[in-house]
Each structure stands twice: as C-alpha cells, then as structure tokens.
Amino acid sequence: MHPYNLYTIPVSLQVNFDLGNFEPCSELIVRNLSDLSSIFNDQQALQDLLVVENPVVYEFRYAPFVTPVSDMTFGITRINPGKVGNEYYMTKGHFHEHPDQPEIYTCVRGCGYLLLENHAGEFKAEQWQPGTVTHIPPGWAHRAVNTGDGPLIFLAFYHLSAGHDYGTIEKTGFASLLIEQEDKPVFISNPARKSG
Ligand code: PAN
Ligand code: ZN
C-alpha cells in the first residue's frame, strides 16, 4: 500500500511557472550540493564549495494522482543556476525501475539540456528553451542540466509506479559532461566514465 490519497473525482492544482512550484503541494524533495557529491567530476571544486556552504541545487515537487486503477503523476523541478568547478548544476538522473515506463518533460523557464542515455550506451542531448517538450522513451536514463544564469524549470508527467533507479547510471556516469568554456556550454566525454 502506498501512502497517497485516492483521487477518484477530478481535481486541479495551480502552477507558478516563475517560481517552479504549485499549490496545494504535499511532496517536496530538496537536493543540496552534499546530496549530489558523486555526480560532479571536479571533486576538489566540490569539496572547496562544501567547506563554505551547502547550497540547494534543485527542488522537486510532485503530485501523485492515484486512483484504484491509475497513478498519473505531475512533477515540477527547479534547478538553480550554478556550477561546481566548470560543470553546471544538474539533476542526479535516473532510469525508471520499470523498463516499460516513459515520461514527458516540458521546459517552462530558463535554458539547458536534457541528457539521455540507454542501456546500450547510446547518448543523446536535447537542447531546451521554454516550450520545449521532450518524450523520454522507456529504457533511457535522464538528467536535466541548467546552463543559464537563472533557474531552469520543467514539468514532468509520468506514472508513479515507474519508480526511480538511481544506482545504475550513478555507477557508470553519463557518457558526456556539460561544462562552461569561454561562457558557453560545451560537451566533453566523461573522464570518470566506467563501462557498465
Ligand atoms: C523527475 C525527476 C526530478 C528530479 O520528476 O525525479 O526532475 O530528478 P532526479 O529524480 O533525477 O533527482 C522524473 O524524472 N521523474 O521520473
Ligand atoms: Zn524520470
């Protein structure tokens, strides 16, 4: 049994696209820099930052609309602007636990990239601006990266039962990193890349 309310009659919520939140909201996950230490390449830069502060890298809010026969879920993520060394702030990234589960992301504010990688090691990067909708097919790990000066805010639509498998992509890392060079985002291959 999951702990969520049952929504057998239609309901609505109100999203604030500027702030990247919605009301009413009961489920909030905040990821600080210290929660994300394994995903950044420059470990020295990470440690230097953590000595001074432990900033919020991103916040993720979600609303599971669970009925006895369905579990559509709405989510909104706000990634703050920032970098660790020259690598931009980004989400942890994950595969879905269930291999038949897709997702749709919609960028509503800011700019960046969605990095995607499947189990065969095929890598793709989708450039984002407000209004970009990306379909994430089943079997593709996904990570959003904020390359802008302001927040990157995106909506997510998925099934709650899709689940999150963080461990698989954490072990290998994504094939490419997005770093800033001469004020521009540049892809480089991940020096810490391990084969799966
Ligand atoms: C999203 C993500 C959200 C936070 O709703 O869960 O953006 O990213 P991480 O889960 O990688 O920390 C989603 O893809 N749900 O399936
Ligand atoms: Zn997902």
Side-chain angles (χ1 to χ4, degrees), residues 23-110:
E23 294 286 344
C25 174
S26 58
E27 310 299 329
L28 166 66
I29 292 173
V30 179
R31 298 224 206 271
N32 291 82
L33 194 54
S34 60
D35 303 316
L36 301 165
S37 56
S38 63
I39 69 170
F40 290 103
N41 180 52
D42 188 340
Q43 287 292 309
Q44 187 58 55
L46 179 93
Q47 292 312 322
D48 292 348
L49 285 171
L50 284 176
V51 169
V52 185
E53 54 169 352
N54 187 18
V56 172
V57 176
Y58 62 96
E59 290 183 1
F60 166 50
R61 291 170 168 80
Y62 63 102
F65 296 113
V66 175
T67 79
V69 293
S70 63
D71 63 353
M72 279 299 294
T73 299
F74 169 77
I76 186 163
T77 303
R78 180 181 70 224
I79 311 178
N80 291 322
K83 283 179 300 212
V84 174
N86 56 10
E87 193 174 9
Y88 298 101
Y89 279 6
M90 56 192 172
T91 57
K92 204 166 177 173
H94 58 269
F95 284 99
H96 289 160
E97 258 175 297
H98 288 276
D100 61 353
Q101 286 298 312
E103 183 161 2
I104 290 174
Y105 274 0
T106 301
C107 176
V108 295
R109 180 173 174 191

